[in-house]
């Protein structure tokens, strides 16, 4: 099928994109790589009256070292992270995650902010960047606000963004090799959306321990008292049931397994990082 | 129409394109380059994969208008390419194609594998190929052909991959005033007419809600007996006309994230005074996405506590068509659960005498149930009392 008719404009910057969105009906949407919105447009499940193309907005195509963090422009593609075309804020974790997103042809156009704004609960960046404590930088005209990803998602496919707000980029704190990380996801086939996922971060330097339960068809959940979970003082079945009571028995079983495997990867004596 | 200039197979092309024209349609329909094949047209099958700025991309998920300044290479442009020559012969030797429909996309992906991943083993080749579907050969021949070419590598790519290509300077284009969108062109909400009500819903999902309403049960029952109020309490639903015979014209709408659907069809309400209960049955189709929704709501008013009452609602629904494929079941269930919760809350408010302004699409955890069900096109009122 073909999309319904829409108006199109390209933006040279995130601020320009926001201004363009403010000029049209509030069903207009920004589009970057179009790898999530595109299928919905083609199936006519999404019918925006206008699209603002941010895939070449200059401030969204850059990545820069900010000392304690790396800022990734929103239109940086998954393939560019996979290939190391932009700096990795972590010891290779982001590149490993990027490589497992969908397929190469999708990664060549799909973008980091597009994935976050689409807010599919099963998407990799939604879960991984929340687990890493990342922040999105949101542009509205020339004004900018920063939102922690743990406060960004309000539901499946839903975020705090107003219709004329654009995610200009993502700020990811640097993690050193002393930190440990794991991300486990279950997919029915390579490149498919995850049925269940879990991520573990242990960063002794920053004194941060986070465990995330993802792909629960709701925004991801950062689990309470992660140290107790890592030390085996809490039953994983209870933890999952408490964090995501809506899961079916089958889904709960998968999530418990994902959590167990992510914890095993992050606490084993093997090399840090890895697992996806 | 928007003007776009890009390079296709080495030649600069300038054209006026409708923004909704994707790259595959553009090269096939405007440039007669029919070597690019379209399969699923939503990014799953990989048949339309072509090389843009040196990288394989889904041309069905790339709008031509967004490829301004891009270097596009379709399968037709690789006649003299030494790497593609090796791949063509290897595909032939290993019986890597049968009907040939997936082959242009397979070749684009294979080209990327053999030039980008010179050390790929079989597992990696299969992983990289997972986004290209073949329904004839079973992949064994395709994998063998690619490994054969890899074994004779490494191969330098003859198309350049430049990150800067996608960083080409753009100037902000304003809205194309001449191309003013006619939002009443039927593409955003065309009626499909009546759909017969199913006798029952097989394989539906049932959700239940119970809310306490601080009014006596007879007042709750009076509210439930007013179709107009009940419709106003159902977020996304609206009634246009209640007829003398009790049949009603109306609408129902839902949104799940960026997805919108508008269902038109029929609904029927029946009441049973003896048990203070009733049933709404509805069925509707969304002509634009070719999706269908069936639903039954059963409600019951019970006395509860001192001068209070309890409203029990069970809703069974089933979606089919693209919306069902795309709106993953657990997500849709969440949306419907929010809808049901708001419906119950609104009914309680209405019973207490509050004016329900109604039919505003519901927001729940940010979800807007706004355009799924223009379902109550014709609501037959059938009072058993």
């Amino acid at each position: 099928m073909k999309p319904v008719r829409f108006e199109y404009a390209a933006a040279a910057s995130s601020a320009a994109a926001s201004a363009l969105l403010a000029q049209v009906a509030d069903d207009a949407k920004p589009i970057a790589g179009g790898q999530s919105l595109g299928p919905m447009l083609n199936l006519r499940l999404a019918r925006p009256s206008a699209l603002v193309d941010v895939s070449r907005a200059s401030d969204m195509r850059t990545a820069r070292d900010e000392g304690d963090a790396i800022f990734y422009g929103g239109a940086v593609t998954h393939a560019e992270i996979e290939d190391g075309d932009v700096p990795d804020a972590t010891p290779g974790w982001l590149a490993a995650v990027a490589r497992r997103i969908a397929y190469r042809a999708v990664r060549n156009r799909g973008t980091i902010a597009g994935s976050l704004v689409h807010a599919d609960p099963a998407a990799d960046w939604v879960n991984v960047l929340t687990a890493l404590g990342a922040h999105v930088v949101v542009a509205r005209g020339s004004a900018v606000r920063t939102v922690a990803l743990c406060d960004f998602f309000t539901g499946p496919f839903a975020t705090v963004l107003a219709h004329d707000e654009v995610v200009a980029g993502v700020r990811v704190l640097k993690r050193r090799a002393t930190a440990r990380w794991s991300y486990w996801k279950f997919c029915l086939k390579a490149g498919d959306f995850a049925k269940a996922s879990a991520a573990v971060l242990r960063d002794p330097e920053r004194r941060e321990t986070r465990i995330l339960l993802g792909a629960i068809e709701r925004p991801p959940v950062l689990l309470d008292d992660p140290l107790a979970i890592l030390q085996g003082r809490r039953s994983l079945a209870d933890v999952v049931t408490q964090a995501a009571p809506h899961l079916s028995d089958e889904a709960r079983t998968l999530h418990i397994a994902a959590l167990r495997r992510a914890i095993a990867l992050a606490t084993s004596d093997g090399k840090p990082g890895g697992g996806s | 129409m928007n003007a776009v200039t890009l390079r296709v197979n080495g030649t600069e092309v300038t054209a006026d394109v409708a923004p909704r024209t994707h790259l595959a349609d553009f090269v096939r329909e405007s440039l007669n380059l029919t070597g690019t094949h379209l399969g699923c047209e939503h990014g799953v099958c990989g048949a339309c994969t072509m090389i843009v700025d040196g990288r394989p991309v889904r041309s069905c998920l790339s709008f031509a208008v967004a490829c301004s300044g891009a270097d596009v290479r379709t399968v037709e442009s690789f006649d003299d390419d030494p790497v593609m020559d090796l791949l063509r012969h290897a595909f032939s030797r290993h019986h890597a194609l049968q009907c040939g429909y997936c082959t242009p996309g397979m070749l684009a992906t294979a080209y990327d594998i053999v030039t980008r991943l010179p050390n790929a083993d079989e597992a990696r080749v299969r992983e990289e190929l997972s986004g290209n579907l073949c329904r004839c050969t079973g992949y064994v021949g395709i994998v063998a052909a690619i490994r054969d070419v890899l074994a004779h590598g490494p191969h330098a790519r003859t198309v350049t991959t430049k990150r800067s290509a996608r960083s080409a300077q753009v100037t902000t284009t304003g809205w194309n005033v001449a191309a003013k969108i006619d939002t009443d062109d039927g593409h955003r909400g065309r009626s499909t007419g009546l759909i017969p009500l199913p006798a029952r819903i097989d394989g539906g999902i049932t959700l239940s809600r119970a809310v306490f309403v601080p009014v006596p049960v007879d007042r709750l029952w009076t509210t439930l007996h007013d179709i107009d109020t009940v419709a106003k309490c159902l977020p996304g639903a609206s009634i246009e006309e209640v007829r003398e015979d009790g049949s009603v014209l109306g609408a129902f709408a839902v949104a799940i994230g960026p997805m919108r659907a508008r269902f038109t069809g029929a609904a029927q309400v029946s009441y049973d005074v003896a048990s203070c209960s009733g049933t709404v049955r509805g069925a509707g189709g969304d002509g634009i996405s070719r999706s269908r929704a069936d639903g039954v709501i059963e409600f019951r008013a019970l006395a509860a506590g001192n001068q209070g009452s309890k409203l029990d609602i069970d809703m069974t629904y089933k979606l089919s068509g693209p919306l069902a494929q795309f709106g993953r079941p657990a997500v849709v269930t969440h949306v419907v659960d929010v809808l049901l919760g708001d419906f119950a809350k609104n009914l309680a408010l209405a019973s207490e005498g509050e004016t329900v302004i109604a039919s505003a699409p519901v927001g729940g955890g940010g979800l807007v149930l706004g355009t799924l069900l223009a379902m109550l096109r014709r609501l037959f009122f059938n009072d058993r009392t």
Side-chain angles (χ1 to χ4, degrees):
Chain A
M1 284 172 72
K2 317 293 178 190
V4 301
R5 274 176 282 192
F6 54 80
E7 276 197 78
Y8 169 92
S13 67
S14 56
S18 172
L20 284 166
L21 286 167
Q23 290 164 17
V24 288
D26 62 9
D27 70 335
K29 296 196 80 68
I31 186 168
Q35 302 300 290
S36 298
L37 190 56
M40 293 182 177
L41 289 167
N42 285 6
L43 289 169
R44 301 193 170 188
L45 292 172
R47 306 152 191 176
S49 58
L51 293 179
V52 175
D53 184 355
V54 295
S55 66
R56 286 163 293 168
S58 57
D59 60 318
M60 297 175 66
R61 288 290 300 142
T62 56
R64 64 173 180 268
D65 194 323
E66 296 185 332
D68 196 37
I70 303 283
F71 172 86
Y72 297 93
V76 168
T77 65
H78 314 317
E80 286 163 350
I81 295 169
E82 175 185 11
D83 294 349
D85 289 345
V86 292
D88 195 326
T90 66
W93 308 339
L94 296 184
V97 168
R99 193 193 132 185
R100 306 273 181 190
I101 298 174
Y103 319 110
R104 180 73 181 181
V106 170
R107 300 198 288 274
N108 279 330
R109 287 189 82 84
T111 65
I112 189 167
S115 171
L116 295 174
V117 170
H118 190 65
D120 188 318
D124 293 278
W125 291 135
V126 167
N127 294 300
V128 165
L129 294 175
T130 302
L132 288 173
H135 291 68
V136 287
V137 177
V138 178
R140 186 177 209 170
S142 53
V144 167
R145 67 172 175 141
T146 300
V147 182
L149 273 179
C150 58
D151 301 324
F152 182 68
F153 306 105
T154 55
F157 303 104
T159 70
V160 299
L161 291 179
H163 87 277
D164 60 344
E165 284 188 312
V166 173
V167 172
V170 190
R171 186 167 286 131
V172 184
L173 282 176
K174 286 183 185 172
R175 306 285 173 179
R176 294 218 230 156
T178 49
R180 312 267 312 231
W181 161 258
S182 68
Y183 174 55
W184 184 276
K185 64 173 177 176
F186 279 113
C187 300
L188 285 181
K189 70 179 273 272
D192 209 353
F193 275 109
K195 291 281 174 202
S197 70
V200 177
L201 171 70
R202 299 169 69 199
D203 188 340
E205 255 175 85
R206 294 187 188 275
R207 298 182 180 202
E208 279 182 63
T209 303
R210 292 159 175 268
I211 305 179
L212 174 137
L213 198 64
I216 55 175
E217 304 294 21
R218 305 282 191 283
V221 175
L222 288 166
L223 300 175
D224 292 334
D225 203 358
L227 275 175
I229 297 171
L230 285 182
Q231 290 161 0
R233 288 191 278 117
R234 293 183 63 194
S235 132
L236 296 187
D238 291 349
V239 166
V240 170
T241 305
Q242 204 173 66
H246 62 279
L247 294 176
S248 68
D249 289 347
E250 182 195 357
R252 182 166 51 247
T253 305
L254 268 186
H255 281 85
I256 293 167
L259 187 55
R260 183 179 300 118
R261 292 182 192 193
I263 290 170
L265 278 171
T267 53
S268 67
D269 293 330
K271 59 179 192 291
S276 62
Chain B
M1 301 291 256
N2 296 44
V4 63
T5 299
L6 66 167
R7 269 183 106 67
V8 180
N9 299 343
T11 305
E12 191 169 283
V13 177
T14 298
D16 277 334
V17 296
R20 64 169 166 165
T21 303
H22 56 60
L23 191 54
D25 271 348
F26 176 68
V27 299
R28 286 178 54 87
E29 306 293 330
S30 301
L31 306 177
N32 281 332
L33 294 168
T34 55
T36 298
H37 293 166
L38 278 163
C40 71
E41 254 188 316
H42 60 277
V44 173
C45 77
C48 69
T49 307
M50 62 170 71
I51 306 287
V52 177
D53 294 331
R55 298 164 175 272
V57 304
R58 300 281 202 241
S59 58
C60 74
L61 297 186
S62 307
F63 292 115
V65 70
C67 293
S68 158
D71 180 45
V72 174
R73 301 278 305 268
T74 69
V75 69
E76 286 93 341
S77 75
F78 287 90
D79 284 0
D80 302 321
D81 186 289
V83 177
M84 198 61 96
D85 192 52
L86 290 172
L87 283 168
R88 271 197 302 268
H89 284 98
F91 267 56
S92 180
R93 275 197 310 282
H94 291 278
H95 192 71
L97 68 154
Q98 189 169 302
C99 81
Y101 203 85
C102 71
T103 309
M106 285 289 178
L107 286 172
T109 300
Y111 188 94
D112 179 57
I113 295 171
V114 300
T115 55
R116 183 170 57 89
L117 303 166
N119 302 315
D121 58 9
E122 178 176 343
R124 185 69 192 267
V125 170
R126 285 185 174 273
E127 184 193 326
E128 294 291 329
L129 268 182
S130 60
N132 289 73
L133 302 184
C134 169
R135 289 297 180 240
C136 304
T137 70
Y139 306 101
V140 171
I142 299 169
V143 172
I146 292 170
R147 297 194 70 202
D148 192 342
V149 174
L150 276 169
H152 294 89
H155 305 285
R157 60 172 64 212
T158 50
V159 283
T160 51
T161 309
K162 272 191 295 192
R163 179 160 187 265
S164 60
R166 294 277 299 155
S167 311
Q169 287 292 312
V170 290
T171 41
T172 300
T173 58
W175 294 112
N176 191 350
V177 181
K180 174 123 180 63
I181 294 288
D182 176 6
T183 50
D184 297 324
D185 62 2
H187 287 298
R188 282 176 186 82
R190 184 176 45 210
S191 164
T192 51
L194 290 177
I195 282 193
L197 285 173
R200 62 174 200 272
I201 298 175
D202 290 323
I205 293 169
T206 301
L207 299 169
S208 300
R209 280 291 174 120
V211 286
F212 178 77
V213 188
V215 297
V217 68
D218 56 328
R219 245 173 85 191
L220 174 59
W221 180 240
T222 306
T223 304
L224 293 175
H225 229 277
D226 176 1
I227 288 222
D228 202 44
T229 301
V230 170
K232 279 180 179 164
C233 290
L234 187 61
S238 63
I239 282 183
E240 289 157 18
E241 182 191 343
V242 181
R243 291 182 170 171
E244 289 289 315
D245 64 354
S247 64
V248 181
L249 300 177
F252 188 95
V254 169
I256 303 168
M259 291 178 271
R260 299 284 188 283
R262 185 170 188 271
F263 287 75
T264 60
Q268 188 174 26
V269 180
S270 55
Y271 291 104
D272 184 65
V273 166
S275 60
C276 280
S277 65
T279 306
V280 183
R281 310 179 62 83
D286 175 50
I288 303 168
S289 70
R290 296 177 301 175
S291 300
R292 179 187 165 113
D294 294 298
V296 176
I297 298 175
E298 288 174 341
F299 52 87
R300 180 178 300 108
L302 303 159
N306 185 24
Q307 293 293 297
S309 52
K310 194 178 80 148
L311 174 64
D312 276 343
I313 302 179
D314 297 313
M315 180 170 182
T316 301
Y317 71 92
K318 187 180 178 183
L319 287 176
S320 46
L323 188 70
Q325 286 170 24
F326 241 81
R328 292 196 301 273
V331 171
V332 175
T333 302
H334 179 58
V335 171
V336 176
D337 197 37
V338 172
L339 168 88
L340 199 55
D342 283 16
F343 181 50
K345 260 184 285 178
N346 287 341
L347 278 175
L349 284 173
S351 307
E352 292 171 61
E354 302 264 342
T355 307
V356 179
I357 302 171
S359 77
V362 82
L367 278 164
V368 179
L369 244 125
T371 316
L372 180 62
L373 213 44
M375 171 175 87
L376 309 180
R377 170 57 59 197
R378 198 171 151 79
L379 182 67
F380 293 103
F381 182 80
N382 179 7
D383 197 335
R384 273 188 238 139
T385 54

